Amino acid sequence: MKLIDTHCHLDPEYFPAGPGPVLDRANATGVIGFMVIGVGQTLKPARSAVDLAAARPASIAAAVGVHPHDATTLDDAAYDELRSLASRPEVAAVGEIGLDYHYDHSPRDVQRAAFARLIALARELRKPIVVHTREAPADTLDILDREGARDVGGIIHCFSEDEAFAKRALDLGFDISFSGIVTFKNAVSVHAVAASTPADRIHVETDSPYLAPVPMRGKPCEPAYVLHTARRVAELRKTSLEELAPILVQNAERRLGRRFLSES
Ligand SMILES: [Zn+2]
Ligand SMILES: [Zn+2]
């Protein structure tokens, strides 16, 4: 059985021993592919994600962007370098980008402007978008719609909204990606979306190093744990992990425009 972790952060601040051991443990549980997200206060994580994908092209794709937390850092110089990084063939998507009104680390108007600017970049480069949205459902959907994000589509990562949001996102050309949140007992609206979303529009992810799924709560989350998330999604859809896994791999490969193979 094979799986792809469509959203993980592997920066050295989270995994001081480097990505190697983490990737090996994931491979051992059947995780053959990874989309590594490179975002942060500077573009260093973006450069590292591209380098990692270049070093392991069979199994790793990169996504680069400016997280809404860091929206104030997107000046013209950062935009120019990000554009050249995002143009690289190792980069499968622009992201994560979006809005986060929970933490408000950047002012909301700055978040909205950065989001719009980076949707335009994705459209220019014809790459899908990885969307981060927290406590900003209406603005997120409005900006995706208004800025023509449906031309490239993408993934709503770490889905934590409800069925109405999911329906609009699907209509806008966005797939739904489930993180460890779907394994939480009280995430009732996320369970409903996991059960009802068309099979060809779903993904699984860890969003490592945060949000470890049940039964790994309390540990730093790593890509190997995507197995638990996929198993819970299968259960909610009244199917088996063995039947769901190949569909998830196909979905990720179609959306990200590449095949994933284990490196060995
Ligand atoms: Zn996120
Ligand atoms: Zn993330």
Side-chain angles (χ1 to χ4, degrees), residues 18 79 101 147 175 178 189 263:
Y79 178 87
Y101 293 175
E147 302 300 327
D175 299 344
F178 298 98
S189 67
E263 296 287 341

Side-chain angles (χ1 to χ4, degrees), residues 67 96 132 157:
H67 194 285
E96 58 191 288
H132 171 106
H157 110 86

Side-chain angles (χ1 to χ4, degrees), residues 179-186 211-218 221 225-232:
S179 68
I181 290 176
V182 78
T183 69
F184 300 171
K185 204 179 279 180
N186 59 359
L211 287 170
V214 175
M216 313 310 268
R217 299 296 298 150
C221 185
Y225 300 172
V226 79
L227 178 69
H228 302 287
T229 299
R231 182 176 288 133
R232 181 66 178 130

